[in-house]
């Protein structure tokens, strides 16, 4: 978010720097039309107006190119901040670096009065495009964190499934053992009942024999 704020501020400053060139050219164009349309004026006035217009156009062309490239950089960096994959991020870097190279070339052609400040703004854009504090690097780090999170989530899901399966096996084994223990207890109970009844019968028989003998 901080990088995008810096991008917005740099883009706005760059556009404000080159925008007056349009106004100057439009003004020179209007003057030229006025002078050339007025046949009562001396020819040297028309020639001077033409020279002024040509100079304005020559100064405007680099500024117009700068505006276009700055807009391209702004749009590309905005898309870079939301790049869905590292592959998309790599593809976006090509037009960004091309625009940066174009701006560096324009900085040598632009009006001398604007050149120093324009160069500073190009350097600011360069920092946002390349380097450790750039928008692409920040997005690359974000994608790496997201990928790591997805990997950890997949591992956790696998561990959860493994643990669930292990618990199910333990529960099934416990149920089996409980069932087996229940059957064993029933058998023991039946044998125990038989032994008790047998003992009682023998005791009764002994009593009868003793009574009969004596």
């Amino acid at each position: 978010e901080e990088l995008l704020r810096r991008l917005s501020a740099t883009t706005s400053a760059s556009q404000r720097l080159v925008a007056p060139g349009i106004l100057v050219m439009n003004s020179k164009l209007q003057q030229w039309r006025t002078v050339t349309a007025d046949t009562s004026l001396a020819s040297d006035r028309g020639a001077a107006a033409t020279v002024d217009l040509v100079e304005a156009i020559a100064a405007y062309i680099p500024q117009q190119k700068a505006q276009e490239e700055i807009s391209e950089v702004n749009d590309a960096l905005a898309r870079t901040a939301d790049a869905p994959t590292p592959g998309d991020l790599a593809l976006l870097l090509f037009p960004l670096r091309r625009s940066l190279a174009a701006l560096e070339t324009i900085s040598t052609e632009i009006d001398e009065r604007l050149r120093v400040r324009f160069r500073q703004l190009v350097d600011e854009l360069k920092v946002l495009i390349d380097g450790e504090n750039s928008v692409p690097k920040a997005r690359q780090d974000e994608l790496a964190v997201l990928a790591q999170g997805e990997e950890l989530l997949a591992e956790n899901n696998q561990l959860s499934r493994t643990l669930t399966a292990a618990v199910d096996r333990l529960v099934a084994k416990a149920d089996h053992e409980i069932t087996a223990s229940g059957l064993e207890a029933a058998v023991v109970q039946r044998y125990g009942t038989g032994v008790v009844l047998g003992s009682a019968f023998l005791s009764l028989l002994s009593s009868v024999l003793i009574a009969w003998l004596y």
Side-chain angles (χ1 to χ4, degrees), residues 76 79-80 83 85-98 136:
R79 292 194 301 272
T80 298
T85 67
D88 293 316
L89 188 60
L91 289 175
L92 286 168
L93 285 175
F94 288 105
L96 275 171
R97 287 169 178 158
R98 183 204 60 77

Side-chain angles (χ1 to χ4, degrees), residues 30-78:
Q30 184 60 40
Q31 290 177 12
W32 177 81
R33 286 173 176 169
T34 301
V35 170
T36 55
D38 191 347
T39 57
S40 65
L41 296 176
S43 60
D44 59 340
R45 289 282 303 277
T50 300
V51 170
D52 287 344
L53 177 60
V54 170
E55 290 177 349
I57 292 174
Y60 168 70
I61 290 174
Q63 296 179 42
Q64 182 186 36
K65 290 180 180 178
Q67 279 189 316
E68 293 172 355
E69 295 298 343
I70 290 167
S71 295
E72 288 291 332
V73 168
N74 181 71
D75 294 343
L77 282 176

Side-chain angles (χ1 to χ4, degrees), residues 99-110:
S99 292
L100 181 61
L103 287 171
E104 289 177 338
T105 300
I106 292 169
S107 67
T108 64
E109 303 170 350
I110 205 165

Side-chain angles (χ1 to χ4, degrees), residues 117-162:
R117 179 55 182 153
F118 185 78
R119 182 69 227 183
Q120 291 173 346
L121 292 170
V122 171
D123 289 340
E124 291 177 16
L125 288 174
K126 185 175 182 179
V127 170
L128 292 171
I129 293 172
D130 281 316
E132 289 299 314
N133 296 320
S134 65
V135 174
K137 181 61 169 62
R139 185 54 180 168
Q140 182 181 17
D141 292 343
E142 289 176 356
L143 290 173
V145 171
L146 290 173
Q148 185 178 14
E150 290 175 356
E151 183 178 348
L152 290 174
L153 182 60
E155 290 178 359
N156 287 337
N157 288 337
Q158 180 60 40
L159 289 173
S160 177
R161 288 192 294 270
T162 301

